[in-house]
């Protein structure tokens, strides 16, 4: 068996996927949170697979894309996504699917129609919601990687019709999820090999050379001004930020992490949409051993991570009426910085404990 087969039995999984699609004729594919290239590409591929089976599928995402690159990708590849809240799902859909997210819970959908499909590559979490088919492969650098193997096993010709667009979307999904292939694993490279002939490089170039917007630059400045260094972590609060610019925080995190002496970067802000407020904190790390997921889950259940990347949110709606926004920011800022410092120290203590444990076992072994 080759090493691809060890982690991903594409023939078996793709057969199960087809069976599940056939069982439900009308599938709602739900993108949770801010739509990123990986979630978009993988959801699009699932839609194509459904349609090839004569099943109906709609990709729904209540949040509009926020980065210009993602907007461009959706537009240029003609990816059909409905950016509206889902209403009356029982009337229109038989089941739903969630890709590229740890949890399949969707307010107003879960419990109303069954969850048919969950495909993800984040660290698994315990969840009681029943799902017909779960394909959870942590070894993959992206869900796009998983979808490429499934499509290949189903004999999809990436040169045909919409699959060429899917190939380009996959490529961009893998690129962004693996930080420009820096963290790509052998499974991702094999997947890239499968699609590489069909990828539209001109389009990808156009997307990746888009200049930063004026707003993004001003958030960059704010982040640089507000950054504080705590041991090997860099923490930066950027103040209030509109929902549509939220993903800029991720780009800022990627940029700040380039500094040599850092193990992790956290960029956070109060995200505003309509009259709603949310603390959103984005993590970037280059420490392979730092268990970001465990660290974030300790702060709040409303968050999670995979290797090198993570985020958490805290709802602040109650404070939306606070007349003094500076005061509110001060409170959120101080609390968040103190919480993060504490987590930095505890994560470090845990690492040391593990290290001492290993040394102890080794020393004991010497006298046995
Ligand atoms: Mn992903």
């Amino acid at each position: 068996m080759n090493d691809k087969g060890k982690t991903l039995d594409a023939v078996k999984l793709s057969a199960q996927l087809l069976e599940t699609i056939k069982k439900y004729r009308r599938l709602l594919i739900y993108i949770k949170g801010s739509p990123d290239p990986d979630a978009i590409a993988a959801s699009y591929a699932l839609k194509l697979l459904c349609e090839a089976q004569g099943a109906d599928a709609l990709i729904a995402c209540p949040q509009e894309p926020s980065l210009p690159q993602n907007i461009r990708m959706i537009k240029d590849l003609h990816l059909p996504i409905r950016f509206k809240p889902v209403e009356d799902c029982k009337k229109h859909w038989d089941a739903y699917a969630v890709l590229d997210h740890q949890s399949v819970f969707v307010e107003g959908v879960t419990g109303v129609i069954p969850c048919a499909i969950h495909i993800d590559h984040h660290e698994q979490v315990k969840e009681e919601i029943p799902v017909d088919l779960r394909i959870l492969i942590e070894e993959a650098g992206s869900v796009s990687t998983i979808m490429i193997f499934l499509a290949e096993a189903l004999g999809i010709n990436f040169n045909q019709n919409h699959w060429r667009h899917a190939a380009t979307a996959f490529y961009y999904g893998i690129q962004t999820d693996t930080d420009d292939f820096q963290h790509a694993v052998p499974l991702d490279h094999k997947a890239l090999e499968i699609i590489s002939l069909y990828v539209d490089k001109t389009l990808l170039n156009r997307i990746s050379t888009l200049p930063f917007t004026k707003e993004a630059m001003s958030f960059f400045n704010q982040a640089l001004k507000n950054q504080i260094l705590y041991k090997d972590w860099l923490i930066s609060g950027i103040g209030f930020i509109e929902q549509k610019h939220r993903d800029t925080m991720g780009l800022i995190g990627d940029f700040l992490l380039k500094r040599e002496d850092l193990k992790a970067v956290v960029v956070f802000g109060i995200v505003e949409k309509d009259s709603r407020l949310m603390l959103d904190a984005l993590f970037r790390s280059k420490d392979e051993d730092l268990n970001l997921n465990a660290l974030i889950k300790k702060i709040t259940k409303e968050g999670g991570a995979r290797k090198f990347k993570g985020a958490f949110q805290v709802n602040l709606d109650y404070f939306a009426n606070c007349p003094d926004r500076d005061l509110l920011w001060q409170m959120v800022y101080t609390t968040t910085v103190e919480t993060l410092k504490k987590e930095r120290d505890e994560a470090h203590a845990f690492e040391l404990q593990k290290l001492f444990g290993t040394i102890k076992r080794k020393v004991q072994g010497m006298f046995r």
Side-chain angles (χ1 to χ4, degrees):
M1 194 188 267
N2 59 22
D3 56 353
K4 171 182 126 193
K6 255 190 263 168
T7 45
L8 207 162
D9 187 346
V11 174
K12 190 177 117 203
L13 292 174
S14 60
Q16 289 174 341
L17 182 63
L18 282 200
E19 251 171 63
T20 313
I21 291 171
K22 282 179 193 154
K23 187 171 157 196
Y24 303 102
R25 306 300 301 167
R26 302 177 305 167
L27 193 72
L28 172 71
I29 304 167
Y30 195 94
I31 298 182
K32 289 181 69 172
S34 182
D36 73 15
D38 186 33
I40 293 168
S43 300
Y44 181 55
L46 181 60
K47 180 178 160 70
L48 293 182
L49 291 177
C50 287
E51 284 165 358
Q53 296 304 312
D56 245 352
L58 172 89
I59 305 173
C61 181
Q63 260 186 50
E64 301 254 352
S66 113
L67 293 179
Q69 293 91 308
N70 299 352
I71 296 169
R72 197 59 183 265
M73 169 202 181
I74 294 166
K75 222 173 154 185
D76 288 6
L77 292 172
H78 312 288
L79 305 180
I81 305 173
R82 204 172 73 173
F83 296 105
K84 272 188 199 149
V86 176
E87 276 161 18
D88 214 358
C89 64
K90 203 175 175 105
K91 194 168 135 201
H92 304 288
W93 308 106
D94 301 325
Y96 75 100
V98 172
L99 279 65
D100 201 28
H101 202 282
Q102 280 176 318
S103 156
V104 298
F105 179 78
V106 179
E107 187 85 58
V109 178
T110 304
V112 182
I113 51 174
C115 183
I117 298 163
H118 181 202
I119 309 179
D120 191 30
H121 68 118
H122 296 86
E123 192 173 306
Q124 296 182 29
V125 293
K126 257 219 174 103
E127 197 167 59
E128 303 293 314
I129 303 167
V131 177
D132 281 52
L133 177 64
R134 279 184 204 275
I135 302 179
L136 307 177
I137 296 166
E138 284 178 40
E139 288 85 351
S142 70
V143 179
S144 294
T145 304
I146 303 170
M147 296 308 283
I148 290 169
F149 285 114
L150 297 180
E152 191 204 27
L154 291 169
I156 295 296
N157 178 355
F158 286 102
N159 200 14
Q160 248 174 26
N161 305 325
H162 301 307
W163 283 102
R164 244 193 130 88
H165 284 167
T168 308
F170 281 148
Y171 187 95
Y172 193 51
I174 297 175
Q175 183 180 358
T176 49
D177 260 30
T178 59
D179 301 313
D180 276 327
F181 310 111
Q182 270 184 84
H183 301 129
V185 295
L187 208 59
D188 303 319
H189 287 294
K190 276 193 192 132
L192 286 167
E193 250 172 62
I194 298 171
I195 55 160
S196 68
L197 267 181
Y198 314 106
V199 171
D200 185 343
K201 293 272 163 62
T202 327
L203 191 147
L204 284 172
N205 251 333
R206 210 160 57 222
I207 294 174
S208 62
T209 51
L210 278 178
F212 283 120
T213 59
K214 222 171 67 202
E215 289 93 346
M217 286 315 293
S218 95
F219 289 123
F220 258 99
N221 281 335
Q222 197 63 29
L224 288 172
K225 242 186 359 211
N226 292 2
Q227 61 182 350
I228 57 159
L229 186 66
Y230 182 69
K231 296 175 183 171
D232 48 10
W233 280 29
L234 190 80
I235 303 169
S236 182
I238 60 167
F240 289 82
I241 180 167
E242 265 179 83
Q243 167 75 39
K244 62 176 183 209
H245 300 303
R246 181 257 183 198
D247 289 352
T248 305
M249 292 198 289
L251 294 187
I252 295 171
D254 291 336
F255 175 78
L256 294 177
L257 191 63
K258 290 193 167 82
R259 246 179 78 168
E260 241 170 60
D261 50 341
L262 297 178
K263 273 193 170 178
V265 169
V266 188
V267 180
F268 68 94
I270 298 182
V271 175
E272 288 184 281
K273 198 194 175 189
D274 305 325
S275 56
R276 310 197 59 176
L277 296 181
M278 178 90 83
L279 162 65
D280 206 335
L282 278 73
F283 290 68
R284 294 290 185 266
S285 144
K286 44 186 167 193
D287 180 3
E288 188 137 1
D289 297 324
L290 178 64
N291 189 340
L292 266 188
N293 193 54
L295 186 151
I296 289 175
K297 288 273 192 280
K298 251 174 62 200
I299 300 175
T300 164
K301 269 195 245 154
E302 302 305 314
R306 54 186 174 77
K307 244 184 207 169
F308 309 116
K309 267 183 190 180
F312 74 80
Q313 290 84 30
V314 177
N315 187 314
L316 299 175
D317 282 349
Y318 179 72
F319 297 99
N321 292 323
C322 175
D324 189 335
R325 280 161 65 96
D326 292 338
L327 198 64
L328 176 59
W329 171 246
Q330 268 318 315
M331 181 192 75
V332 170
Y333 178 82
T334 318
T335 312
T336 307
V337 168
E338 284 316 306
T339 304
L340 292 170
K341 283 180 175 172
K342 198 174 129 237
E343 290 306 326
R344 154 66 186 77
D345 289 337
E346 280 176 14
H348 190 63
F350 182 70
E351 265 172 45
L352 281 181
Q353 243 174 32
K354 258 195 339 203
L355 181 69
F356 287 143
T358 317
I359 294 171
K360 209 169 117 191
R361 275 195 305 279
K362 277 197 182 143
V363 171
Q364 280 166 349
M366 279 161 61
F367 297 105
R368 219 166 260 152

